[in-house]
Amino acid sequence: MTLVESDFVLRQAFVDGRWVDADDGASFPVLDPATGETIAEVPRIGAAETRRAIEAAHRAQPAWRARPAKERAQVLRRLGDLMVEHLEELAALMTREQGKPLAESRAEVAYAASFYEWFGEEAKRVSGATVPSPWPDRRVLVTKEPVGVTGGIIPWNFPSAMVTRKSAPALAAGCTMVLKPAEQTPLSALAVARLSEEAGLPPGVLSVVTGDTEDASLIGAELTSNPLVRKLGFTGSTEVGKLLMRECAGQVKKITLELGGNAPFIVFADADLETAVAAALVAKYRNSGQTCIAANRMLVQDGIYDAFVSRFAEESAALKVGNGFEDGVSVGPLIDRPSLEKVERHVA
């Protein structure tokens, strides 16, 4: 499959139901981490274009929230079904721009699609409450309502699942969203946006704005400062999460953060050796170690230490490293050169 000729390689941002370039025509390359080749050039969206996406989301939100939850669920279910129908194309695209082995990409696309199904079904079960009243002539009711326009900023390590984990609950609840994917992996997010058109998602309900490293602060600042945005969701580094929280504080804007992890892998002496080693391999090497819950350190009890280290080293040496499209590869390339240099510093 020649992905650069695929209908799923989109070279424009998606704003208010339209495919658009940056106002100044600027773009940046998306690189294949396995080969260094340019897959596509996508727009460098700035504050002005992001503002228009937010305004479009604000216009679209009243009609979207007014639709019965059942109808919103049907659209989301259709979108999830379309992702499954195009699983091979989406998985190949992910491997091309993110580098993970094709088997992992296939599993992620299926996982990503499940969020639209699950949250769509949950939307039909959102209910309020009747609170016992201290007054005999009054009734106290609690209702749940969509917060409004939301923003989503996602990382590159799970470029499809992060799109759906951010957008599915927001759209199911009757909110609209402006989503900013990571500069390393915007193509998977744009592919989901393409399928959202086919699924019947109205214009403005979901927009995807792309930007390079230098553009991230401009897009992020617009999402945090624009009063039309009522909530922001972010998955990424603790450093950036702190910055976004500070920026949202000025408006007491709601924010949900999923930040960096520092996970220990603990093995006690009574552990089953084969099970412990197999689990450790997944915990450390999945997605080339590029997950927030990857094992950062291993604590192994004395009684099993030597046997565990020997077996873990043996199994690690057997892992095949290479291009994610190659048969038998279980560890793909790191996402970019700065990541490679960071790992080299750790090893040194």
Side-chain angles (χ1 to χ4, degrees), residues 273-332:
L273 180 63
E274 293 302 316
T275 300
V277 169
L281 289 169
V282 174
K284 182 70 259 182
Y285 293 117
R286 179 191 179 200
N287 199 18
S288 304
Q290 301 173 126
T291 72
C292 58
I293 57 171
N296 293 93
R297 59 203 184 281
M298 297 189 183
L299 308 176
V300 185
Q301 205 165 2
D302 286 345
I304 199 173
Y305 179 84
D306 290 336
F308 177 87
V309 169
S310 175
R311 186 70 177 139
F312 184 76
E314 179 183 341
E315 292 294 329
S316 296
L319 295 173
K320 182 178 179 181
V321 180
N323 190 312
F325 286 107
E326 295 175 10
D327 290 338
V329 165
S330 52
V331 180

Side-chain angles (χ1 to χ4, degrees), residues 101-247:
L102 191 56
E104 287 191 29
S105 295
R106 290 183 177 121
E108 181 181 335
V109 172
Y111 172 61
S114 73
F115 283 104
Y116 286 133
E117 176 187 1
W118 196 86
F119 280 105
E121 291 298 315
E122 286 299 291
K124 295 186 286 186
R125 288 183 278 274
V126 173
S127 58
T130 301
V131 180
S133 174
W135 306 285
D137 59 339
R138 299 179 189 180
R139 184 179 298 169
V140 180
L141 304 176
V142 177
T143 62
K144 296 181 180 180
E145 300 180 358
V147 70
V149 178
T150 65
I153 302 175
I154 61 174
W156 46 262
N157 55 347
F158 292 94
S160 285
M162 289 291 104
V163 173
T164 61
R165 271 180 62 178
K166 286 287 182 286
S167 63
L171 302 184
C175 299
T176 53
M177 173 165 279
V178 176
L179 186 81
K180 192 272 177 192
E183 60 270 18
Q184 297 95 333
T185 56
L187 300 178
S188 290
L190 293 172
V192 173
R194 173 184 177 259
L195 293 177
S196 75
E197 285 186 291
E198 188 175 342
L201 204 65
V205 173
L206 176 65
S207 291
V208 177
V209 292
T210 57
D212 205 353
T213 306
E214 295 80 5
D215 311 312
S217 59
L218 301 175
I219 296 172
E222 185 62 34
L223 290 172
T224 56
S225 65
N226 194 310
L228 297 179
V229 178
R230 304 302 301 277
K231 178 169 183 176
L232 180 69
F234 170 73
T235 298
S237 71
T238 304
E239 179 183 8
V240 174
K242 290 178 179 179
L243 172 63
L244 293 171
M245 179 175 273
R246 286 196 298 268
E247 292 179 348

Side-chain angles (χ1 to χ4, degrees), residues 2 24 44 79 88 117 123 151 158 162 205 248 257 269 285 293 313:
T2 306
D24 60 3
R44 292 188 58 175
L79 177 50
E88 288 300 322
E117 176 187 1
F158 292 94
M162 289 291 104
V205 173
C248 287
L257 302 172
Y285 293 117
I293 57 171

